[in-house]
Amino acid sequence: HCLLLLLLLLPPPRDFDAPEQQIPSFSSSPFMTMGWMSIRSLLLFSALFRFVLILYGEWQDTHMEVRYTDVDYFVFSDAASFMASGDSPYKRTTYRYSPLLAFLLLPNSFLHRSWGKFIFSASDLLVGLFIRNILKQRKVPEDLCLYSVMVWLLNPFTFTIGTRGNCEPIVCSMVLWIIICLMNGNVIQAAFWFGLVVHFRIYPIIYALPIILVLDPRSFKSGQKPALVDWISNQGKAFQSDKEVAKLHTVWDAFKSIFTRQRIMFGLVSGAVFISCTGLFFYLYRWEFLNEALLYHLTRTDPRHNFSIYFYHIYLHSEHVFSVVEKLISFLPQLIVQLVLICCFARDLPFCLFLQTVAFVAFNKVITAQYFVWFFCLLPLILPWSKLKLKWEGICCMLLWMGAQTHWLLWGYLLEFKGRNVFLQLWLASLAFLAANTYVLITFIRHHRHSPVFKELEPTSSKNTVKSE
């Protein structure tokens, strides 16, 4: 929640509609002078800070009643221990992840129990590095790049995720690497990592359609690196217009040319990687793997209290055996929202992925705090294009989101630690949290300066050349 403090230090968004000569330089504000810090020093400080937190976590786990380490980390470690001894990682109850995760944590059994925390924290640092890479490729000024990276690396929520032993930074780094591969024109490599990340953590499957739409033959030519719409060229005036970006004719254009070489190649490679990994582990661990790692997440019904608006209905009907149709019907609101966001914003890929992730989490059947990191890693990628004023709309959005979450946590505390029957109040708090997420989502859309990532190359025609001559 100290993200609020970090964002207050960000420079106020520039008035993009003002003439270029009236736009102040980045050095005009005392908060914008970052000569005392470079990306290298920021990464070194972040790495050292995470190392200290891991050491502190070991001390707290040993000397204090409340552990610093996330309970999921013990699940990961136990599964890795079973795998190290030649058994199935799914002998550890509640392990519902790919065996790849347990494989990465094998050194926990013979090297040190904190090995996994170092892997997750290293992935956390990679996310910061990838954020800067993406922004620099789009020619975002260095100071603004640095501030955007700070939003991730110095966010207390994100740096505690890895040091407490949560695997989400690995997923975040893979998602950002896919964006980098696409920006560099490495479609096959992007497809490989996409198939792998969907196997590792199934939720990135929601990114498949916008990626397919982005692989437009007007932007991607075989053997050529796609041209990017950079930040500088997007300042003087709007890129065509917001309506132009959101026009649904792009869906029709995509439909007409859906079976292009790049799209077919992406689908085949990513599908082959996903099926290969899934097939290999199905051969090793049979239906136990398939049920726990994949099918469980599609039909999951969790009666325990969480941020989701569905938890109360599931709790009240916990003794009822839900059919597969009943389990899957809750995906309908998610599906509708996802399709609308993709149709409107697919060309602005990072912004589309951010909106998709926020909406997916907000409407999910189960929501835990670790899911928020899924869109936190995409937030720095859209800040340079945001026209949202920190005073007062930006602050109001942050306070609303944090206040709705805190309100829920208060009722959760009364239920969990005081044993009070406040299920109804907790469900109402979940509704308020959904409303807050929806308001923030709409506010970001209204204040975002839409900018496609890839330029459309002008078609060359010999007939047109002759006519012009």
Side-chain angles (χ1 to χ4, degrees):
H1 290 163
C2 292
L3 177 62
L4 171 63
L5 178 61
L6 293 174
L7 290 180
L8 288 174
L9 296 178
L10 283 171
R14 298 163 66 178
D15 186 3
F16 294 124
D17 296 326
E20 186 173 356
Q21 64 270 20
Q22 296 181 9
I23 298 176
S25 65
F26 282 90
S27 60
S28 60
S29 170
F31 290 106
M32 295 181 187
T33 306
M34 296 292 291
W36 57 272
M37 180 179 288
S38 64
I39 186 64
R40 178 178 297 180
S41 59
L42 176 61
L43 287 171
L44 287 175
F45 170 78
S46 301
L48 178 62
F49 185 59
R50 283 156 174 77
F51 178 75
V52 171
L53 279 179
I54 292 174
L55 295 182
Y56 167 77
E58 289 295 312
W59 178 87
Q60 179 173 324
D61 290 347
T62 305
H63 297 88
M64 298 181 68
E65 182 179 359
V66 178
R67 292 179 177 270
Y68 179 83
T69 303
D70 193 329
V71 66
D72 286 344
Y73 187 72
F74 297 108
V75 176
F76 304 156
S77 299
D78 292 344
S81 179
F82 280 116
M83 180 178 281
S85 61
D87 292 326
S88 168
Y90 299 101
K91 282 191 173 182
R92 176 50 163 100
T93 56
T94 71
Y95 180 76
R96 298 187 175 99
Y97 301 85
S98 167
L100 286 176
L101 179 58
F103 178 79
L104 288 175
L105 268 62
L106 284 178
N108 278 21
S109 303
F110 57 83
L111 191 60
H112 194 274
R113 61 184 180 183
S114 293
W115 166 265
K117 294 181 181 179
F118 286 101
I119 294 293
F120 302 152
S121 296
S123 301
D124 186 4
L125 297 174
L126 270 181
V127 171
L129 198 60
F130 291 163
I131 289 170
R132 181 179 185 273
N133 184 291
I134 293 171
L135 295 181
K136 289 300 291 183
Q137 285 201 55
R138 301 191 68 185
K139 298 183 180 179
V140 175
E142 181 63 31
D143 283 350
L144 192 51
C145 281
L146 197 58
Y147 278 112
S148 299
V149 174
M150 289 170 63
V151 170
W152 170 264
L153 289 180
L154 301 185
N155 184 346
F157 185 88
T158 56
F159 64 62
T160 54
I161 284 289
T163 56
R164 294 185 68 230
N166 195 286
C167 68
E168 302 303 339
I170 292 182
V171 183
C172 294
S173 62
M174 293 170 73
V175 169
L176 294 189
W177 179 246
I178 291 169
I179 297 176
I180 292 175
C181 291
L182 291 173
M183 293 174 68
N184 291 328
N186 299 325
V187 178
I188 294 181
Q189 189 176 160
F192 170 84
W193 287 101
F194 184 76
L196 188 63
V197 75
V198 171
H199 167 80
F200 191 84
R201 202 84 161 92
I202 197 170
Y203 88 88
I205 191 66
I206 64 176
Y207 304 149
L209 185 55
I211 292 177
I212 289 295
L213 292 176
V214 155
L215 294 176
D216 195 309
R218 294 171 297 182
S219 301
F220 283 80
K221 300 294 183 181
S222 179
Q224 298 182 15
K225 180 178 178 179
L228 304 179
V229 178
D230 57 61
W231 185 87
I232 297 175
S233 64
N234 192 229
Q235 302 313 304
K237 60 179 180 179
F239 186 89
Q240 297 175 343
S241 69
D242 291 352
K243 293 181 180 179
E244 181 70 17
V245 177
K247 277 185 179 179
L248 294 181
H249 77 79
T250 55
V251 178
W252 170 242
D253 291 342
F255 178 77
K256 290 191 298 183
S257 57
I258 190 67
F259 297 107
T260 64
R261 182 176 180 273
Q262 302 286 358
R263 287 169 173 159
I264 293 175
M265 189 164 53
F266 184 88
L268 290 177
V269 173
S270 60
V273 172
F274 175 80
I275 293 174
S276 299
C277 293
T278 305
L280 172 63
F281 292 122
F282 179 77
Y283 172 78
L284 294 175
Y285 305 115
R286 298 299 175 180
W287 287 101
E288 192 177 31
F289 151 72
L290 205 60
N291 288 326
E292 297 293 336
L294 294 176
L295 299 180
Y296 169 81
H297 298 285
L298 296 177
T299 59
R300 179 180 182 182
T301 54
D302 195 340
R304 293 172 299 179
H305 58 283
N306 61 82
F307 288 99
S308 174
I309 60 173
Y310 295 103
F311 95 90
Y312 191 48
H313 173 76
I314 296 173
Y315 169 77
L316 292 177
H317 300 83
S318 58
E319 297 181 358
H320 170 69
V321 179
F322 291 95
S323 65
V324 175
V325 175
E326 289 176 311
K327 292 179 179 179
L328 294 178
I329 200 171
S330 62
F331 286 110
L332 188 59
Q334 280 181 316
L335 179 62
I336 295 173
V337 174
Q338 294 293 314
L339 290 177
V340 171
L341 293 175
I342 291 170
C343 288
C344 293
F345 305 109
R347 293 176 64 198
D348 192 349
L349 186 61
F351 185 60
C352 183
L353 301 188
F354 172 79
L355 296 179
Q356 281 186 270
T357 311
V358 174
F360 179 82
V361 172
F363 288 92
N364 204 29
K365 288 188 297 183
V366 178
I367 305 174
T368 61
Q370 71 187 52
Y371 293 178
F372 303 149
V373 77
W374 295 351
F375 53 81
F376 276 167
C377 71
L378 297 166
L379 176 62
L381 300 182
I382 69 172
L383 287 179
W385 285 268
S386 179
K387 296 182 289 184
L388 189 64
K389 302 288 186 181
L390 284 177
K391 293 182 178 181
W392 294 95
E393 290 178 302
I395 293 178
C396 287
C397 281
M398 289 183 284
L399 291 179
L400 178 65
W401 190 82
M402 292 162 52
Q405 187 180 158
T406 305
H407 174 243
W408 186 97
L409 290 172
L410 290 174
W411 292 110
Y413 170 79
L414 293 176
L415 174 66
E416 184 75 20
F417 295 96
K418 299 299 183 180
R420 297 185 185 179
N421 184 7
V422 291
F423 281 98
L424 181 59
Q425 294 90 328
L426 193 62
W427 176 66
L428 293 175
S430 298
L431 290 176
F433 188 57
L434 174 62
N437 277 281
T438 305
Y439 175 80
V440 171
L441 197 69
I442 294 173
T443 302
F444 267 100
I445 292 174
R446 289 178 54 243
H447 292 85
H448 182 72
R449 186 174 183 80
H450 306 296
S451 174
V453 176
F454 303 102
K455 291 181 180 177
E456 291 185 6
L457 303 177
E458 293 293 334
T460 57
S461 174
S462 57
K463 294 182 179 181
N464 292 340
T465 305
V466 172
K467 287 182 181 180
S468 63
E469 291 178 354

